[in-house]
Amino acid sequence: MSETEKLVQKIVEGIQEKKGYKIVVADLTKIGDTICKYFVICQGNSTSHVSAINDSVREYVRENTGIRPIGADGLTNAEWVVMDYADVMVHIF
């Protein structure tokens, strides 16, 4: 398993910690000229749930891999949050 695949696995586990649902992992490795290798997409049921999923992913991934996101956007409204882990983009709706 590659480092990127391990990162995806830990992101998914972080989402599951806070009961995020409709989790989809989109493998983009076979598509040329993409901004990343994987999209991880999930849903929460409220803005506070979306924020909690974001926090869980950030902490779970950091604790288990030492990796921190390059950036995140959408936390002000928490309707759609995107987290950038370079090779993996996490979308929380």
Side-chain angles (χ1 to χ4, degrees), residues 2-71:
S2 74
E3 290 299 313
T4 303
E5 291 168 331
K6 288 178 190 173
L7 174 60
V8 168
Q9 179 183 10
K10 295 305 175 188
I11 289 168
V12 169
E13 290 171 8
I15 292 168
Q16 292 170 332
E17 284 284 313
K18 291 296 178 186
K19 309 280 192 247
Y21 60 96
K22 293 189 179 178
I23 301 169
V24 175
V25 176
D27 181 347
L28 308 176
T29 58
K30 306 256 189 283
I31 301 171
D33 294 330
T34 59
I35 61 168
C36 62
K37 294 180 181 179
Y38 292 90
F39 277 167
V40 179
I41 305 163
C42 73
Q43 290 184 2
N45 55 24
S46 67
T47 56
S48 59
H49 191 205
V50 168
S51 290
I53 293 168
N54 172 76
D55 294 344
S56 177
V57 169
R58 182 182 305 270
E59 287 304 307
Y60 194 86
V61 170
R62 185 187 57 77
E63 288 172 1
N64 289 281
T65 67
I67 299 171
R68 297 173 189 258
I70 294 168

Side-chain angles (χ1 to χ4, degrees), residues 11 53-59 61 69-73 75 81-86 88-92:
I11 289 168
I53 293 168
N54 172 76
D55 294 344
S56 177
V57 169
R58 182 182 305 270
E59 287 304 307
V61 170
I70 294 168
D73 197 16
L75 294 169
V81 173
V82 62
M83 303 173 76
D84 183 355
Y85 282 95
V88 183
M89 297 291 286
V90 182
H91 299 270
I92 308 167

